[in-house]
Amino acid sequence: MERGTFQLMKSVNKSVVLNKIRLAEPISRAQIAKETGITPPTVSTIVKELINENLVEESILGESKGGRKPTMLLLKRNGHHVIGIDAGSNKIKGISTDLVGNILTATETPIQPHISKADFLMELKKVIWRIYQGIEVKESILGIGVAMHGVVDIASGVSLYSSNSGLRDVPIKEELEKEFGLLVMVENNSRAMALGEYWFGEHDVSECFVTINIGRGVGSGIIENGRLTYGAQDIAGEIGHMVMDLNGKICSCGNKGCFETFVTGDAIVQRAKEQIKAAPDDLTAEAIYARAKEGKTDYVKVLEDTGRLIGLGIVNLIHMINPDEIFLGGGVLNSEEFLMPVIRHTIHERALTEKARNGTVIEVSKLGDEATILGAAALLLAELF
Ligand SMILES: [Zn+2]
């Protein structure tokens, strides 16, 4: 453990106790002491503080091992609230959650293509006001977490650039902190999705955890040892712009042959039109899936080809960072029954070692669309815990 001042040690212990309760509740003071190695008197002092701060409550009696039944501790679900926002390129969604990620209220509003910076901020504030007004005790709000599409500067909370909406240099954190007087944290939507899946999804203990979002664009979030990875200039995980064909199609970023140009919903539609002569002009990714489900083999092939390409992208990712778990999400994964067998097969065929071939867990997120917005809420929770 790191050496520090008494005050720091105390807060490190506090965080350890709070996380122990979060992960193992209901749990007794004695169990916390036993499992964390913190002395029983210190655990008692910390628990008292946590109860005073409305973070923890005493509850149902636990199993007695002879003698008096111990009092069990739980997170106080309704003691604090968080506002989570998923600002996509076509709609803004908002939720309020309790301390364990239960969604209490939800709202959403569509946003127009090529929206101006001022209008975007206005719509964002409107969504947050609606959620804010639904929370009875305003003092219980820990803050606002925003998952924003495109590239985000984390420290300043500025949305730097989005190829989908065309927005540039939007000072989200500054504007919202001024409006609501609350702590605001802004994160790229793919990283927020990783955080949401990591906090609230069903997964094993993971040293290197990755989520990949494949929809209108492609992004990923990497969590190593419990923390999001950013890289030197905040673009770690931008696998949508990993080059897969030197002479490929022009990507929204201006480069050629990026991973995105092969596997987004639009890319799949384009491939279907190239491969299937009878494909209608107004074909959509949903229609391709529907036709594949009807057993139309040419549409099944389009999805299987897509699965192979997604698999190749994931093989590159495995070779770069070697994660133990990868969760996939986004609209394209609605066709998982056709994609996943081919994705897994491609990884099995190409990953460098037998351990990586057989040991890398690849699943579709069960949280689905909610992973991103829960991750936005978790930005604040990660500060607390
Ligand atoms: Zn690109």
Side-chain angles (χ1 to χ4, degrees):
M1 189 182 283
E2 269 180 38
R3 274 162 167 252
T5 62
F6 174 65
Q7 197 57 38
L8 177 66
M9 285 296 285
K10 207 170 135 192
S11 71
V12 168
N13 279 346
K14 197 166 168 179
S15 162
V16 169
V17 171
L18 187 57
N19 272 298
K20 190 76 215 171
I21 297 170
R22 177 172 79 88
L23 297 169
E25 63 170 13
I27 185 168
S28 69
R29 289 169 175 81
Q31 264 172 289
I32 295 173
K34 200 174 148 195
E35 289 176 29
T36 61
I38 300 171
T39 64
T42 306
V43 169
S44 287
T45 309
I46 290 173
V47 166
K48 201 172 163 191
E49 279 175 34
L50 293 171
I51 290 175
N52 284 338
E53 287 163 17
N54 249 350
L55 289 165
V56 167
E57 62 187 350
E58 293 180 332
S59 184
I60 45 165
L61 298 173
E63 286 284 306
S64 169
K65 292 198 179 99
R68 203 156 59 92
K69 286 187 174 183
T71 308
M72 302 303 273
L73 300 165
L74 293 164
L75 284 187
K76 188 166 180 185
R77 278 143 178 75
N78 251 335
H80 291 278
H81 297 95
V82 175
I83 297 174
I85 299 294
D86 178 2
S89 56
N90 54 3
K91 63 183 159 190
I92 299 174
K93 298 194 281 185
I95 56 168
S96 63
T97 77
D98 62 14
L99 272 193
V100 290
N102 289 317
I103 296 177
L104 306 170
T105 51
T107 184
E108 64 176 66
T109 194
I111 61 169
Q112 303 308 316
H114 313 298
I115 190 168
S116 73
K117 205 193 292 192
D119 286 348
F120 174 79
L121 282 167
M122 192 181 67
E123 293 297 339
L124 185 59
K125 287 175 190 171
K126 274 200 238 168
V127 167
I128 299 172
W129 273 119
R130 257 182 267 155
I131 296 290
Y132 182 86
Q133 276 153 2
I135 302 172
E136 214 172 296
V137 184
K138 308 301 182 208
E139 294 73 36
S140 71
I141 307 174
L142 290 172
I144 303 168
V146 180
M148 176 69 186
H149 64 285
V151 182
V152 172
D153 181 83
I154 309 304
S156 63
V158 173
S159 157
L160 296 176
Y161 163 71
S162 157
S163 55
N164 278 333
S165 63
L167 287 166
R168 269 178 195 278
D169 304 319
V170 190
I172 295 177
K173 181 179 166 76
E174 190 191 327
E175 285 281 328
L176 296 184
E177 287 187 343
K178 210 163 58 188
E179 181 92 1
F180 295 93
L182 289 166
L183 172 64
V184 175
M185 301 186 70
V186 187
E187 185 53 272
N188 157 272
N189 58 351
S190 296
R191 288 205 190 102
M193 175 181 157
L195 205 59
E197 194 68 44
Y198 186 78
W199 271 68
F200 303 117
E202 288 169 22
H203 61 86
D204 295 330
V205 174
S206 180
E207 274 174 40
C208 183
F209 181 92
V210 174
T211 60
I212 306 175
N213 188 17
I214 310 176
R216 295 184 67 193
V218 178
S220 78
I222 304 160
I223 294 183
E224 285 184 280
N225 300 316
R227 294 193 159 271
L228 278 168
T229 298
Y230 294 93
Q233 283 89 25
D234 279 354
I235 58 168
E238 285 286 353
I239 62 162
H241 304 287
M242 171 169 66
V243 177
M244 293 186 62
D245 181 355
L246 288 179
N247 304 307
K249 289 175 178 149
I250 301 281
C251 177
S252 61
C253 72
N255 292 326
K256 276 184 186 172
C258 293
F259 186 36
E260 257 190 35
T261 66
F262 291 94
V263 298
T264 59
D266 283 350
I268 297 169
V269 170
Q270 212 176 337
R271 183 172 318 109
K273 286 181 176 173
E274 284 163 12
Q275 288 183 8
I276 304 167
K277 283 204 181 82
D281 283 344
D282 60 353
L283 187 68
T284 60
E286 291 78 15
I288 293 171
Y289 174 54
R291 284 162 193 238
K293 258 181 106 75
E294 285 164 14
K296 293 186 172 151
T297 51
D298 37 4
Y299 288 90
V300 171
K301 183 172 182 304
V302 168
L303 290 178
E304 286 176 349
D305 289 351
T306 305
R308 192 168 51 82
L309 290 158
I310 294 173
L312 289 175
I314 294 176
V315 169
N316 287 339
L317 183 84
I318 290 172
H319 292 163
M320 275 188 284
I321 59 170
N322 194 195
D324 43 19
E325 288 183 294
I326 301 174
F327 281 76
L328 306 177
V332 166
L333 269 298
N334 290 337
S335 308
E336 63 171 292
E337 63 191 275
F338 298 102
L339 299 174
M340 289 306 283
V342 192
I343 292 172
R344 291 199 175 100
H345 178 76
T346 306
I347 291 159
H348 205 260
E349 219 174 39
R350 298 201 178 222
L352 275 182
T353 63
E354 200 179 323
K355 271 189 174 173
R357 285 194 290 270
N358 299 323
T360 313
V361 174
I362 313 233
E363 297 291 342
V364 176
S365 163
K366 289 193 183 70
L367 293 175
D369 284 350
E370 279 186 357
T372 305
I373 201 158
L374 283 172
L379 288 172
L380 271 297
L381 298 178
E383 286 291 294
L384 180 69
F385 285 94

